[in-house]
């Protein structure tokens, strides 16, 4: 009993002593927590270093800008530092728990010009320049600081993109038309990019898991959650809008030699050849962080070149890695509509001691003028949970490079609140709800109808829309004055059924023309939605110019009524088509088509052969054809318009292979034949020299056929520049049964003009192009060798149609684009076959395109 009593006393005493010691220790511990924000924008700041002054004890703010540090030491001051901001200090009370919020202001010390005076101005040189020596070390260490340095890597990525109408005046905001829309407007600091008044119009958020494997090379993104402002599908292609905005705001990979920006590519300040194009200056050494950093400022050698300016911060720990970068563009560069641009990149150290991107923030303000209303866009990317060299099972890396989880778009508000790495500002959080409310307003619907009519040419009537308006009136030598009225159904009628039709009448030939098609979507999606799978049947009776193939424009567009030397070479066509199209998420697609086609000559065109030495008129040609087309366009982006998909050009090639089989006897078809065509198109980015669009194509027809069924080269006799046609070739001038062609369209983006003082302010851009086609006609298909074949037509005793047996057809052009920011004007020169009657040697062509 005595032993148990003694044990209890000792146990109680030890417990009291432990409680006393714990209380003493807690009383002596200093705990500081809070948040850090930008004094101007009031936004939270991740990655800010908060430490006890004079010690290595500290931490960085998280993605919400929050921090927490603690110590048992008796320190009475904390230090808050961030690159590009003024360092501040704050007195604290040791041994207590405190909540302290900080606001940081930018350090506005900038280097406008470095001038060293030694009797005269010293010329900048790379030789013996410590800044250049440093950047060369950064370049030499690029490979080890890239993601590709790891065997395996994975991370979670959050993206947010927001667009707003910007810099709106109070007068504009208070207009009567916006009386019911005041809830949409937001305000910010008037000095911030975009100005004081903003009207948010679009926001998109994505949360994805990303996986990288070095060998075999795999980079895969799985989108687990996606949220997007969506407009009425009758007015806006939401998927195309998303693709277009994502193309504008692509990832900024500073370790790449070239960085994409608004469809252009700008040389990175740490590209292999950067010292030849940039000037570098060491402007600060930052010793109060670990590792120490060198602030390196850079500017273009020529301020009109398509280059960045800004600062990068280099780690002095042997990695020579970028710890932070702030990039902007010079106002003198040839970039349309961009009033301000700034991207901030932040990097963090990984487990292996290397650095990886942790956050990027790209902001741009667009406008027609330097001041006044415009569009402000921002894309924020935050990367978390970064892990390296942890291989996953094979199935993780297999499949398409981009995958979307089945329920990605079904995540609710609670999911987003829990999984966003930061908190949305109130104005941003309300965008989804505000746009939904806006679309219910009758006045907004009326506005969208007017915009759709102007931009797409359609007047929306709910389940049916009338248009396109640019085809209502047309004229040509055969039909004379032509009126047309047509339209198409919308998703208000059905998402799976789609109908399109028009009727037209020519007052000269006094004939009616028509078109009707019906489409059934087989994958329970709108016919506009990617990927498509549909069955379509159509019938058409209309005129056509042989060999004219147009892209992204209707053949009876009013503007195409104006042609040079239109001799009335037309055919009447009765066509029945049955199409099956199947697209896949990896942008591979195939198409089967059954086509029954009757073509009859009209105007100045005739079909005639020689029988017993006498001309014999053929009234028409009837063919039935089965074709298959395979197409692969990796990483293709496009905007789905009312008539066409408008591609968003990129560096990836597009492959097309087409096979056609003529079937004699089926639906009265009169010919058996086979043909094959292959096409490759690709954009090549050439850094400072702009980019080149290159297209190569070849085709072969294996059988004996009349010339209207052979390859009639695509000619253009309008005054509009057609990129896929030969602009100095006459209609029906060349016929082939085998050919190979190449088209090169080189855009220099003002590389030369920007260096001419008188032209610099106009922001004009140079463009040159070259087109050539080789081919010929085998003897069996040449009507000169066989009178039973249809003879080439003549006009007033002059030949109209030729072969390419005397060498390639070639033409070249030099032009100026970006005239008034929308026009391209080319002087085109025909280089071969100049002896043909009515062959033009020179021509001027115009092309309209809005570009950055």
């Amino acid at each position: 009993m005595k032993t148990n009593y003694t044990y209890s006393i000792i146990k109680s005493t030890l417990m009291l002593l432990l409680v006393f010691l714990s209380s003493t220790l807690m009383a002596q511990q200093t705990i500081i927590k809070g948040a850090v924000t930008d004094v101007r924008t009031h936004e939270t700041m991740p990655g800010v270093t908060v430490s006890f002054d004079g010690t290595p004890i500290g931490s960085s703010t998280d993605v919400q800008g929050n921090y927490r540090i603690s110590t048992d030491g008796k320190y009475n001051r904390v230090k808050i530092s961030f690159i590009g901001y003024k360092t501040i200090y704050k007195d604290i009370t040791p041994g207590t728990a405190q909540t302290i919020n900080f606001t940081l202001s930018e350090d506005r010390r900038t280097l406008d010009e470095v001038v060293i005076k030694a009797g005269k101005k010293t010329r900048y040189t790379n030789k013996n320049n410590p800044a250049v020596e440093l950047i060369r070390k950064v370049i030499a260490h690029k490979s080890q600081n890239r993601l590709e340095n790891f065997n395996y890597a994975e991370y979670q990525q959050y993206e947010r993109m927001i667009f707003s109408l910007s810099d709106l005046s109070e007068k504009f905001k208070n207009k009567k038309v916006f009386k019911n829309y005041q809830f949409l407007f937001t305000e910010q600091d008037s000095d911030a990019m975009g100005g004081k008044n903003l009207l948010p119009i679009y926001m998109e958020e994505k949360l994805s898991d990303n996986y990288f494997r070095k060998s075999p090379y795999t980079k895969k993104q799985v989108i687990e959650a996606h949220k997007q402002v969506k407009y009425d599908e009758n007015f806006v292609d939401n998927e195309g809008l998303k693709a277009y905005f994502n193309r504008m705001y692509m990832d900024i990979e500073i370790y790449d030699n070239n960085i994409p920006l608004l469809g252009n590519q700008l040389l990175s300040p740490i590209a292999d050849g950067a010292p030849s194009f940039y000037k570098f200056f060491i402007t600060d050494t930052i010793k109060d962080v670990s590792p120490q950093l060198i602030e390196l400022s850079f500017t273009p050698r020529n301020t009109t070149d398509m280059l960045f300016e800004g600062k990068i911060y280099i780690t002095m720990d042997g990695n020579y890695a970028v710890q932070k970068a702030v990039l902007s563009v010079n106002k003198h560069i040839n970039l349309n509509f961009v009033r301000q641009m700034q991207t901030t990149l932040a990097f963090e150290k990984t487990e292996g001691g290397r650095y990886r991107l942790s956050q990027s923030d790209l902001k741009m303000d667009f406008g027609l003028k330097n001041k006044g209303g415009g569009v402000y866009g921002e894309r924020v990317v935050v990367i978390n949970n970064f892990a390296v060299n942890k291989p996953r099972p094979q199935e993780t890396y297999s499949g398409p490079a981009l995958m979307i989880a089945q329920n990605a778009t079904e995540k609710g508000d609670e999911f987003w609140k829990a999984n966003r790495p930061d908190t949305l500002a109130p104005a941003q959080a309300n965008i989804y709800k505000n746009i939904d409310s806006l679309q219910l307003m009758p006045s907004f619907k009326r506005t969208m109808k007017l915009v759709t009519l102007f931009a797409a040419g359609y007047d929306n009537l709910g389940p049916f829309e009338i248009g396109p308006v640019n085809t209502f009136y047309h004229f040509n030598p055969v039909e004379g004055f032509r009126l047309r009225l047509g339209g198409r159904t919308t998703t208000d009628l059905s998402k799976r059924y789609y109908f399109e039709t028009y009727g037209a009448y020519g007052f000269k030939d006094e004939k009616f023309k028509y078109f009707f098609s019906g489409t059934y979507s087989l994958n329970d999606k709108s016919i506009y939605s990617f990927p498509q799978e549909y069955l379509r049947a159509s019938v058409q009776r209309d005129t056509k110019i042989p060999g004219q193939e147009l892209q992204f424009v209707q053949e009876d567009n009013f503007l195409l009524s104006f042609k040079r030397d239109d001799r009335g070479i037309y055919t009447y066509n009765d066509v029945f088509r049955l199409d099956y199209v199947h697209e896949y998420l990896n942008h591979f697609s195939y198409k089967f088509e059954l086509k029954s086609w009757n073509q009859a000559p009209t105007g100045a065109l005739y079909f005639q052969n020689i029988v017993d030495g006498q001309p014999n008129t053929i009234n028409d040609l009837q063919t039935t054809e089965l074709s298959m087309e395979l197409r692969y366009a990796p990483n293709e982006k496009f905007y789905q318009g009312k008539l066409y998909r408008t591609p968003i050009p990129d560096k990836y090639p597009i492959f097309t292979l087409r096979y056609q089989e003529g079937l004699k006897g089926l639906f009265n078809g009169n010919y058996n034949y086979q043909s094959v065509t292959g096409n490759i198109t690709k954009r090549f980015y050439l850094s400072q020299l702009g980019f080149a669009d290159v297209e190569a194509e070849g085709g072969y027809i294996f059988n004996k056929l009349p010339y209207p069924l052979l390859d009639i080269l695509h000619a253009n006799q309008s005054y509009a520049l057609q990129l896929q046609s030969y602009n100095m070739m006459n209609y029906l001038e060349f016929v082939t049964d085998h050919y190979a062609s190449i088209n090169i369209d080189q855009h220099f983006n003002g590389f030369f003009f920007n260096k001419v003082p008188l032209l610099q302010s106009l922001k004009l851009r140079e463009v040159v192009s070259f087109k050539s086609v080789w081919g010929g006609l085998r003897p069996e298909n040449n009507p000169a060798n066989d009178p039973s074949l249809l003879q080439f037509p003549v006009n007033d005793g002059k030949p109209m149609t030729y072969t390419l047996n005397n060498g390639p057809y070639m033409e070249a052009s030099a032009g100026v684009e970006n005239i008034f920011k929308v026009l391209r004007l080319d002087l085109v020169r025909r280089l071969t076959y100049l002896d043909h009657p009515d062959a033009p040697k020179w021509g001027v062509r115009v092309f309209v395109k809005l570009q950055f």
Side-chain angles (χ1 to χ4, degrees):
M1 180 69 67
K2 184 176 180 180
T3 303
N4 290 337
Y5 176 76
T6 304
Y7 173 75
S8 298
I9 296 238
I10 294 173
K11 182 179 178 182
S12 301
T13 302
L14 289 174
M15 290 181 64
L16 287 172
L17 181 60
L18 182 61
V19 170
F20 174 77
L21 290 174
S22 299
S23 301
T24 303
L25 288 173
M26 288 296 292
Q28 292 177 344
Q29 191 175 42
T30 304
I31 301 174
I32 311 293
K33 63 180 181 177
V36 180
T37 57
D38 186 300
V39 70
R40 183 170 60 86
T41 65
H42 309 297
E43 295 180 354
T44 56
M45 298 179 60
V48 176
T49 300
V50 183
S51 62
F52 293 101
D53 186 30
T55 76
I57 302 171
S59 181
S60 297
T61 56
D62 60 20
V63 292
Q64 289 90 10
N66 298 318
Y67 74 93
R68 184 184 186 279
I69 59 175
S70 62
T71 181
D72 295 332
K74 295 183 178 181
Y75 305 112
N76 55 16
R77 193 164 72 158
V78 292
K79 174 184 174 183
I80 301 88
S81 60
F82 191 61
I83 298 171
Y85 286 77
K86 295 178 180 178
T87 299
I88 61 176
Y89 300 87
K90 179 76 173 180
D91 292 334
I92 60 171
T93 304
T96 62
Q98 302 159 67
T99 299
I100 306 176
N101 298 322
F102 297 97
T103 56
L104 296 185
S105 58
E106 293 183 11
D107 187 348
R108 297 188 178 274
R109 293 174 298 167
T110 58
L111 181 68
D112 294 326
E113 186 178 11
V114 172
V115 178
I116 303 174
K117 292 185 178 180
K120 62 179 182 178
K121 184 176 179 179
T122 301
R123 181 175 177 270
Y124 179 89
T125 178
N126 285 349
K127 188 176 181 180
N128 298 323
N129 186 333
V132 175
E133 294 302 316
L134 178 59
I135 202 65
R136 292 193 190 282
K137 290 182 179 179
V138 175
I139 294 170
H141 287 76
K142 280 199 306 182
S143 60
Q144 72 181 42
N145 289 311
R146 298 176 64 97
L147 178 70
E148 287 76 9
N149 181 61
F150 301 107
N151 292 321
Y152 297 90
E154 60 183 72
Y155 54 90
Q156 187 180 73
Q157 179 169 300
Y158 168 78
E159 303 174 46
R160 179 173 66 247
M161 188 181 301
I162 182 169
F163 283 85
S164 305
L165 299 183
S166 66
D167 203 14
L168 304 176
S169 66
E170 291 294 333
K171 182 178 179 181
F172 178 90
K173 177 182 175 182
N174 295 320
K175 282 179 180 273
K176 186 177 180 180
V177 69
F178 295 113
K179 180 181 178 181
N180 297 325
Y181 303 150
Q182 291 300 307
F183 65 93
L184 294 171
F185 291 91
T186 64
E187 292 187 0
Q188 62 175 4
D189 191 312
S190 59
D191 292 330
M193 191 180 296
K196 180 180 179 181
N197 285 323
L198 298 177
L199 177 58
I201 56 174
Y202 179 84
M203 190 164 82
E204 178 189 3
E205 295 179 278
K206 287 189 288 189
L207 190 67
S208 63
D209 293 325
N210 297 261
Y211 305 94
F212 169 78
R213 180 179 60 185
K214 180 186 288 187
S215 181
Y217 183 88
T218 306
K219 200 171 184 181
K220 183 174 179 180
Q221 181 180 42
V222 181
I223 298 177
E224 299 293 345
H226 179 250
K227 193 173 186 180
Q228 173 191 6
V229 164
K230 290 198 173 183
Y231 289 92
D232 189 330
E233 289 184 356
N234 292 320
F235 300 125
V236 176
D237 169 29
N238 290 289
E239 290 301 308
L241 194 67
K242 179 177 71 174
Y244 187 76
F245 285 155
N246 279 278
R247 170 68 172 151
M248 290 173 61
Y249 282 68
M250 296 181 69
D251 289 331
I252 304 294
E253 297 284 354
I254 197 168
Y255 287 108
D256 287 346
N257 281 334
N258 293 289
I259 297 174
L261 185 70
L262 299 173
N264 300 283
Q265 292 220 347
L266 278 65
L267 193 73
S268 168
I270 58 174
D272 295 341
S276 299
F277 294 93
Y278 287 102
K279 294 180 180 180
F280 294 93
F281 309 95
I282 295 177
T283 50
D284 198 3
T285 302
I286 303 169
K287 298 181 178 179
D288 54 359
V289 295
S290 180
Q292 293 184 13
L293 302 173
I294 297 292
E295 180 185 84
L296 203 59
S297 297
F298 59 91
T299 183
R301 288 176 178 264
N302 187 317
T303 57
T304 62
D305 284 346
M306 295 284 277
L307 297 167
F308 293 104
E309 61 182 13
K311 298 179 179 181
I312 52 178
Y313 297 82
I314 310 302
T315 65
M316 302 309 294
D317 58 355
N319 284 318
Y320 295 101
V322 178
Q323 200 266 356
K324 183 184 176 183
V326 180
L327 310 178
S328 62
V329 292
N330 190 287
K331 64 181 179 180
H332 299 297
I333 73 170
N334 199 330
L335 196 61
N336 290 336
F337 313 119
V338 178
R339 299 193 291 206
Q340 286 180 282
M341 171 269 174
Q342 179 177 292
T343 183
T344 303
L345 307 175
F347 296 79
E348 289 184 358
K349 212 168 190 177
T350 65
E351 301 170 9
R354 305 300 183 189
Y355 286 80
R356 55 90 179 176
L357 182 69
S358 60
Q359 185 169 352
S360 70
D361 187 356
L362 173 58
K363 301 176 183 178
M364 283 189 279
D365 186 35
F366 306 90
L368 296 176
K369 299 179 180 179
N370 289 332
K371 293 184 179 180
V375 176
Y376 169 70
E378 181 178 13
R379 179 176 183 251
V380 175
V381 177
V382 179
I383 294 175
N384 289 317
N385 303 329
F386 194 91
V388 299
N389 298 331
K390 295 180 180 178
R392 292 269 186 168
Q394 173 61 32
E395 55 266 24
T396 302
Y397 306 102
S398 60
L402 175 64
M403 295 184 66
I404 302 175
Q406 189 172 3
N407 61 344
T409 59
E410 300 172 5
K411 308 294 186 182
D413 291 342
E414 293 304 317
F415 171 88
W416 284 103
K417 287 179 182 178
N419 288 276
R420 281 190 191 102
D422 60 357
T423 302
L424 291 181
Q428 296 174 342
N430 291 330
I431 291 180
Y432 299 112
K433 180 180 67 176
N434 288 347
I435 297 299
D436 287 342
S437 301
L438 177 67
Q439 295 190 81
L440 298 176
M441 295 184 174
S443 56
F444 178 76
K445 291 183 178 180
R446 289 193 296 268
T447 302
M448 289 301 294
K449 285 187 65 174
L450 290 174
V451 171
T452 303
L453 181 63
F454 175 77
Y458 278 87
D459 184 18
N460 189 280
L461 303 177
F464 190 81
E465 54 189 9
I466 298 175
V469 296
N470 58 14
T471 63
F472 286 173
Y473 170 65
H474 179 77
F475 61 87
N476 60 65
V478 171
E479 298 174 278
F481 173 55
R482 168 184 166 124
L483 290 180
R484 167 177 151 167
L485 184 64
R488 64 200 293 171
T489 61
T490 71
T491 52
D492 283 354
L493 178 68
S494 172
K495 284 190 174 182
R496 302 194 69 173
Y497 295 95
Y498 162 78
F499 302 97
E500 183 178 3
T501 186
Y502 70 76
Y505 182 76
F507 285 83
K508 182 177 180 180
D509 65 356
E510 298 181 340
K511 292 180 180 293
F512 283 98
K513 293 86 181 176
Y514 59 82
F515 171 80
F516 180 81
S517 73
T519 306
Y520 177 67
S521 176
L522 297 170
N523 59 1
D524 200 25
K525 289 185 176 183
S526 165
I527 191 64
Y528 300 126
S529 299
F530 175 83
Q532 296 177 339
E533 184 183 6
Y534 63 79
L535 189 66
R536 172 179 291 165
S538 67
V539 291
Q540 183 180 37
R541 169 172 288 180
D542 213 334
T543 58
K544 177 178 170 58
I545 299 174
Q548 185 181 48
E549 296 293 337
L550 302 177
Q551 285 193 327
F552 318 124
V553 66
Q554 293 278 26
E555 291 188 19
D556 51 0
N557 186 303
F558 169 71
L559 295 177
L560 295 184
S561 301
F562 303 94
K563 295 182 173 70
R564 59 172 178 84
D565 191 25
D566 192 343
R567 291 169 288 184
I569 303 174
Y570 285 76
T571 57
Y572 287 120
N573 299 267
D574 288 287
V575 183
F576 168 77
R577 280 189 176 92
L578 184 64
D579 299 310
Y580 171 70
V581 174
H582 193 162
E583 297 177 334
Y584 294 88
L585 285 171
N586 64 355
H587 293 275
F588 172 80
S589 65
Y590 63 87
K591 173 183 177 181
F592 290 106
E593 180 181 88
L594 176 65
K595 175 183 176 183
S596 177
W597 180 20
N598 181 277
Q599 53 179 319
T602 187
L605 183 64
Y606 57 89
F607 293 165
Q608 196 175 78
N609 63 0
I610 305 298
V611 178
D612 297 329
Q614 298 297 319
N616 177 55
T617 299
I618 306 296
N619 294 324
D620 58 16
L621 295 175
Q622 179 71 40
T623 59
T624 302
E625 180 180 279
L626 181 64
S627 64
M628 178 185 70
E629 180 178 287
L630 306 177
R631 186 175 185 272
Y632 181 50
N635 301 292
E636 182 181 36
K637 305 290 189 302
F638 49 80
Y639 182 85
Q640 180 72 55
K642 292 290 182 180
L643 284 174
Y644 301 100
R645 281 180 176 174
T646 303
I648 302 172
D650 211 335
K651 63 183 178 180
Y652 302 101
I654 299 175
F655 305 92
T656 306
L657 180 65
R658 186 181 305 110
Y659 175 78
Q660 296 167 302
E661 175 87 26
L663 303 172
K664 185 176 181 178
L666 180 64
F667 300 134
N668 299 317
N670 293 324
Y671 301 93
N672 283 319
Y673 57 89
Q674 298 84 37
S675 70
V676 62
T677 306
N679 180 285
I680 302 175
T681 61
K682 177 175 169 55
R683 171 166 289 187
F684 293 89
Y685 287 98
L686 306 174
S687 190
Q688 295 304 104
L689 294 177
F691 61 87
D693 289 324
V694 179
E695 178 181 15
E697 184 174 284
Y700 197 93
I701 297 174
F702 294 91
N703 307 85
K704 181 178 180 178
L705 291 171
Y707 77 84
L709 302 182
L710 301 177
D711 282 310
I712 301 174
L713 298 186
H714 300 166
N716 171 36
Q717 289 188 209
S718 74
Y719 295 101
L721 182 72
Q722 294 180 11
L723 302 178
Q724 311 300 324
S725 301
Y726 299 99
N727 293 285
M728 301 303 292
M729 185 184 290
N730 292 324
Y731 293 135
L732 200 55
E733 186 173 358
F734 290 99
V735 172
T736 72
D737 56 20
H738 61 281
Y739 71 95
S741 67
I742 187 165
N743 294 352
I744 303 173
D745 202 36
Q746 169 67 48
H747 302 252
F748 289 102
N749 284 346
F751 181 78
F752 301 105
F753 286 167
N754 290 344
K755 296 172 176 60
V756 180
L758 295 178
L759 297 177
Q760 176 185 326
S761 60
L762 298 176
K763 294 193 174 182
L764 301 177
R765 302 173 184 173
E766 325 83 347
V767 57
V768 296
S769 67
F770 174 77
K771 298 179 181 179
S772 182
V773 54
W774 297 262
L777 206 57
R778 299 192 305 274
E780 68 210 60
N781 279 324
N782 194 331
N785 301 326
D786 188 348
S788 68
L789 288 170
L790 292 187
Q791 301 298 295
F792 289 155
V794 297
N795 182 33
D796 294 331
K798 300 177 183 177
M800 295 171 56
T801 304
Y802 303 85
T803 70
L804 283 172
N805 293 88
N806 294 325
Y809 171 87
M810 294 187 291
E811 66 180 41
S813 69
V816 179
E817 58 183 348
N818 208 39
I819 303 171
F820 307 120
K821 302 189 189 305
V822 295
L823 291 180
R824 169 178 170 177
L825 200 63
D826 276 37
L827 179 64
V828 189
R829 168 66 172 170
R830 177 166 166 157
L831 302 175
T832 57
Y833 293 97
L834 299 177
D835 58 337
H836 287 185
D838 303 317
K841 296 178 176 61
W842 295 93
V844 176
R845 302 291 179 266
V846 65
F847 187 73
V848 179
K849 183 180 180 181
L850 189 68
Q851 57 186 345
F852 289 104

